[in-house]
Amino acid sequence: MVKRRSSAEAPAIREPGRRTYLMCRPAYYAVEYAINPWMDTSTPVDAARACAQWETLADVYTDLGHEVLRIEPEPGLPDMVYAANGAFVVDGIAYGARFRHPQRTPEADAHEKWHRAAGRTFVEPEHTNEGEGDFTYLPGRELILAGWGFRTDARAHAEAADVFGRQVVSLRLVDPRYYHLDTALAPLDGERIAYYPDAFSPGSRLLLERLFPDAVIADADDAAAFGLNFVSDGTHVVVNAEATGMVRKLRDAGYEPVPVDLSELKKGGGSVKCCTAELRPQR
Ligand code: ARG
């Protein structure tokens, strides 16, 4: 039986509910190029081990009662395992990705095909954006949070606001190690977030302090262990096992951390969240 917070502190929006996640098996995973500071082409990657770690992550979601859908991996696309980057889905609408780096460009087409085949409304992007890597949604606040500075073009933020008819808060990332928003910030539930302040510009930090005075604050070690690249269902927080400090903070904040070892996937500069695209249903 999973532990739940008392109903007094857990309004309906914080109930786990059943989430739908899209994932891509790392069948062709490798570090063949370096487009973020974590990637080192001279470090060998154990693809079999990556697959085993990834299967464990998928099983964890299923065991928590969530639905895991799969997109077929494609040869020649070693980063396709980071499914979060393929699109951003809110209200059952998929806003497509447009990758910054040519090495990943074809992934956007694969995701587009997948969403269209599923019968989902698909919006082709005009501006560069890396899907859920730089976008997230807080249903309790009716807010989209969006990152820019390394990958996603800030013009894509306005485009997303127009696609979804929702307010978008633009946040500027300034540390190249935290090149995607989902490496530096994550929703804990419909209203609350965790983030690493130093990953953001002074103005964005101020904005985050004002909007989220109750945020869980990560430190440099938490961020470096990919402790912010987690997936929360409002109760359980699936998080990289290496992020032991973050695991403690999450528990202290009233959540139930579920550590998963994704050490192989970290070599490509990603962890739990990068491997997971949330498909948020129609309102
Ligand atoms: N190697 C990939 C890249 O640099 C990692 C992507 C991680 N994904 C994420 N959602 N942060 O694009």
Side-chain angles (χ1 to χ4, degrees), residues 35-36 39 79 82 85 104 133 151 179-180 182-183 268-269 274:
I35 55 173
N36 72 55
M39 299 174 89
D79 271 337
Y82 305 111
N85 300 124
R104 297 197 68 187
R151 300 289 181 89
Y179 55 95
H180 275 146
D182 72 0
T183 62
C274 301

Side-chain angles (χ1 to χ4, degrees), residues 4 12-21 61 64-67 232-236 278:
R4 287 198 176 176
I13 200 86
R14 290 187 183 171
E15 290 299 305
R18 191 177 194 228
R19 307 291 164 105
T20 301
Y21 299 127
Y61 290 139
L64 289 173
H66 305 305
E67 178 182 28
S232 174
D233 63 15
T235 299
H236 316 97
E278 184 170 352

